[in-house]
Amino acid sequence: MVVFDLWHKTKYKYEQGASFCHNLVTLKPKNFPGQELLDYRLEISPTPSEVSERVDFFGNTIATFSIQENHEELTVIARSKIARDYKSQISNENIEARNKITIEEALVLLKGIEPDIINARQYVLFSPLITKMSPKIKKYAEVSFKPGRSLYEAAHELMQRIFIDFDFVSGFTNIATPLDEVMNAKKGVCQDFAQVAIACVRSMGLPARYVSGYIETVPPEGKEKLIGTDASHAWFSVFIPQFGWVDFDPTNNQVPKDQHIVVAHGRDYYDVPPLKGVIYSTGKNDMEVSVDLRPAKENTIEKKV
């Protein structure tokens, strides 16, 4: 087991000030087998007039707050302590069950009426940022998703191919960049790679969902890790009937383990941005984001959530 301290800071500066803002925050890590949230607190400045918390349709914790006074800056800091134990999720029997389901078997099993199957089927449908399955995306998917093949092996190969074929280029895309443009340029960032993979899997009639979270970055040997150098991360997850969801990180070409912290699941990025909202303001607005994820100094923490 590894215990991590996580710090995520978002700061907005308003050139002419803002008289009102209303925001949704998706920064609270999830609890599930292999990941336990030990502590969490949200710090907002200026102090909001109201703050509430709810669980959304996808099982994510969403905080809502409003500031109804003039302010020149808005700072939101989420502090978390998380225990990760990937090995507790997996066994030789689980690996065998995960690997044996073929694509054809999965498609048949997905016609069932069990609660987990019904829930998974929603991730086959179109979503706000994945609105169509172009011939180019389907053709790219068909290279890996061949008849008779293990669903896990096909998804794993798709992850590897995206890692090899696409270049990580920060600033080349934004959340509105169409997937076809990403496919044509073979450039983007983690959210683009995740959404390309999701579109590929869905084009085969199979469920795939977007995962938002963080990944621990390790500094070069002999170098001190700098605070605030990490960033939010994204990857994709594929549902394998009779086993469950399996995550794949195409940006780093790996199946996520203890170094990945899961915050939220959705159909695509639009469902789970860390912070979104509306403001009443004019002039230029600047945003700064910094993240730090590192092993905690102590591993015995009282559960406070």
Side-chain angles (χ1 to χ4, degrees):
M1 176 185 291
V2 183
V3 177
F4 289 100
D5 283 326
L6 170 62
W7 177 84
H8 184 131
K9 178 181 179 181
T10 307
K11 186 174 184 178
Y12 292 93
K13 293 183 179 180
Y14 308 115
E15 185 179 39
Q16 301 297 329
S19 59
F20 172 85
C21 72
H22 183 73
N23 298 275
L24 300 179
V25 181
T26 310
L27 290 172
K28 188 173 185 177
K30 296 188 108 170
N31 277 302
F32 56 85
Q35 177 172 301
E36 182 181 9
L37 181 60
L38 303 173
D39 192 17
Y40 175 80
R41 61 185 183 273
L42 192 62
E43 302 169 1
I44 304 169
S45 178
T47 303
S49 55
E50 54 182 284
V51 181
S52 62
E53 192 175 88
R54 63 180 175 84
V55 176
D56 72 2
F57 180 80
F58 302 104
N60 309 311
T61 301
I62 310 295
T64 305
F65 72 88
S66 298
I67 297 175
Q68 301 178 19
E69 61 182 63
N70 192 69
H71 54 285
E72 296 181 355
E73 295 183 354
L74 169 64
T75 302
V76 179
I77 300 175
R79 302 180 189 272
S80 308
K81 190 175 291 290
I82 310 104
R84 285 288 280 136
D85 188 7
Y86 170 80
K87 292 181 179 179
S88 69
Q89 296 176 267
I90 205 75
S91 65
N92 290 334
E93 293 78 11
N94 285 340
I95 291 174
E96 184 178 347
R98 180 194 69 186
N99 294 352
K100 74 177 183 178
I101 300 296
T102 65
I103 295 168
E104 289 82 1
E105 289 171 339
L107 290 170
V108 171
L109 290 168
L110 284 166
K111 297 177 181 178
I113 58 173
E114 296 84 359
D116 62 332
I117 295 292
I118 293 174
N119 177 69
R121 283 207 298 262
Q122 69 179 306
Y123 294 101
V124 182
L125 306 175
F126 294 151
S127 57
L129 297 177
I130 307 174
T131 57
K132 65 177 182 177
M133 308 307 169
S134 71
K136 179 171 287 189
I137 286 175
K138 188 170 184 179
K139 184 178 179 180
Y140 190 82
E142 287 172 342
V143 173
S144 296
F145 288 80
K146 296 176 180 178
R149 192 170 196 190
S150 156
L151 174 52
Y152 174 82
E153 290 178 1
H156 193 278
E157 182 182 280
L158 175 65
M159 171 191 72
Q160 292 178 319
R161 289 172 54 223
I162 292 173
F163 174 77
I164 293 169
D165 295 342
F166 289 71
D167 294 325
F168 189 96
V169 181
S170 181
F172 179 77
T173 59
N174 57 51
I175 61 171
T177 302
L179 284 184
D180 283 346
E181 187 174 327
V182 177
M183 285 294 297
N184 289 333
K186 295 292 192 296
K187 297 177 183 179
V189 293
C190 57
Q191 70 183 37
D192 301 306
F193 304 157
Q195 290 176 155
V196 165
I198 291 167
C200 286
V201 177
R202 289 180 186 168
S203 74
M204 298 290 100
L206 296 161
R209 65 185 181 183
Y210 185 95
V211 188
S212 70
Y214 307 91
I215 182 172
E216 180 194 14
T217 56
V218 180
E221 186 175 352
K223 298 291 185 179
E224 177 74 16
K225 182 174 181 179
L226 302 178
I227 295 175
T229 56
D230 295 342
S232 297
H233 193 43
W235 56 98
F236 73 102
S237 188
V238 174
F239 182 78
I240 301 179
Q242 298 183 347
F243 177 79
W245 291 96
V246 182
D247 290 2
F248 300 91
D249 181 355
T251 305
N252 296 290
N253 191 28
Q254 59 182 263
V255 173
K257 296 181 180 178
D258 286 342
Q259 77 277 25
H260 286 72
I261 304 298
V262 176
V263 170
H265 297 111
R267 297 165 297 172
D268 56 39
Y269 173 84
Y270 188 83
D271 287 332
V272 293
L275 188 64
K276 67 178 179 180
V278 295
I279 62 168
Y280 292 166
S281 179
T282 59
K284 184 179 179 181
N285 300 325
D286 293 323
M287 180 181 72
E288 299 175 3
V289 178
S290 53
V291 173
D292 189 61
L293 175 66
R294 64 180 66 211
K297 293 181 179 180
E298 65 282 337
N299 286 343
T300 54
I301 305 297
E302 294 182 8
K303 186 175 179 181
K304 300 180 181 178
V305 177

